[in-house]
Amino acid sequence: MPAQQKKLIFCTAGLLSLACALGTAAAVGTQLWVKGTILCTTGALLVNATGPELHKFIGEIQYGLFSGQRVRQCGLGGRPFQFSFFPDLLKIIPASIHVSVILFCTVLIVFALVGAGFFMFNAFGSPYETLHGPTGLYLWSFIACSCGCLIMILFSSEVKIHHLSEKIANFKEGTFTFKTHSEQFANSFWTILVCSLLHFINALLIRFAGFEFPFSKSKDSGTITGAVDLMY
């Protein structure tokens, strides 16, 4: 492939990696990871609420990795409540999973930036070491994509398996009991999915640029060449 086309491909991949890093950083700081509604079961049972009356006991909840808010509805109007995971909810949530999600988000941002830098280096410079060449580009893309997948798996398990929304809804509630009425992942969660897909696309772009997958042996020669194979 001509050098100009390779430069264009690497520039595109670098911009995608940079966009992923910025998107992940923005997603981490928002409260748009989960949105849902919570039902005040105690209040609804007290008045035997059914049909339209039930809406008077359905509040709202949304949260991210660090903070969130809920609107408590128990038949007397909505009462908003702000909360933070650290240190308020640290004792009632699966802290190890939650901290792991934040750590993997940090790793995703770091390696997305590293990948963007190396993509640009390969576009405008000549690779002089293996990790600056195709092997490194595959490596950074693979790590970033894997981190994105782990973030989604861990956070999904925290929300669905450990019933995170219900634990938050019942935080500091002695009299009333709340139950999740509806729950869906919001924009920030899907941003991580998009970033993972973009890193996978970056790996395809590297292959499209003419580089063999790392560690694959050439059919024409059984010897492993050095830095010459990494030059344009």
Side-chain angles (χ1 to χ4, degrees):
M1 178 177 291
Q4 293 298 327
Q5 293 184 21
K6 287 186 178 181
K7 287 184 179 181
L8 179 61
I9 290 175
F10 287 141
C11 285
T12 302
L15 292 175
L16 289 178
S17 294
L18 181 60
C20 288
L22 296 177
T24 304
V28 169
T30 68
Q31 298 180 3
L32 300 176
W33 283 71
V34 174
K35 284 186 176 181
T37 57
I38 49 176
L39 173 64
C40 179
T41 56
T42 304
L45 290 174
L46 284 175
V47 299
N48 196 23
T50 58
E53 296 177 348
L54 200 61
H55 291 284
K56 296 181 181 180
F57 298 92
I58 297 178
E60 298 177 351
I61 186 172
Q62 71 173 31
Y63 54 90
L65 298 181
F66 294 97
S67 62
Q69 59 183 353
R70 73 183 188 193
V71 178
R72 184 176 180 270
Q73 289 272 14
C74 289
L76 300 175
R79 297 183 180 182
F81 175 75
Q82 298 282 341
F83 59 87
S84 60
F85 284 92
F86 304 98
D88 297 342
L89 303 176
L90 199 58
K91 294 182 179 179
I92 66 170
I93 65 172
S96 59
I97 298 178
H98 198 78
V99 172
S100 297
V101 171
I102 297 174
L103 289 177
F104 280 120
C105 284
T106 304
V107 174
L108 174 57
I109 294 171
V110 170
F111 278 95
L113 290 174
V114 170
F118 282 142
F119 274 117
M120 292 300 179
F121 178 83
N122 279 269
F124 298 104
S126 296
Y128 57 90
E129 291 181 4
T130 302
L131 292 183
H132 291 169
T135 304
L137 298 180
Y138 280 118
L139 180 62
W140 314 133
S141 299
F142 174 76
I143 292 176
C145 183
S146 299
C147 287
C149 293
L150 287 173
I151 291 168
M152 291 186 293
I153 293 171
L154 290 175
F155 189 75
S156 298
S157 67
E158 185 180 9
V159 173
K160 299 298 183 180
I161 298 177
H162 295 275
H163 307 289
L164 183 60
S165 298
E166 285 190 10
K167 290 181 179 179
I168 294 174
N170 290 285
F171 176 62
K172 290 185 177 180
E173 290 289 345
T175 304
F176 294 95
T177 301
F178 293 87
K179 185 177 181 180
T180 302
H181 186 260
S182 66
E183 188 179 57
Q184 60 274 341
F185 294 108
N187 297 340
S188 294
F189 179 84
W190 299 120
T191 299
I192 302 298
L193 174 61
V194 172
C195 289
S196 300
L197 293 176
L198 289 179
H199 285 295
F200 179 75
I201 292 174
N202 278 352
L204 297 180
L205 288 177
I206 302 168
R207 181 65 186 88
F208 183 72
F211 287 130
E212 295 291 341
F213 194 80
F215 315 119
S216 62
K217 295 182 179 180
S218 175
K219 295 181 180 179
D220 299 330
S221 176
T223 60
I224 300 176
T225 56
V228 179
D229 292 331
L230 304 180
M231 301 297 290
Y232 298 131

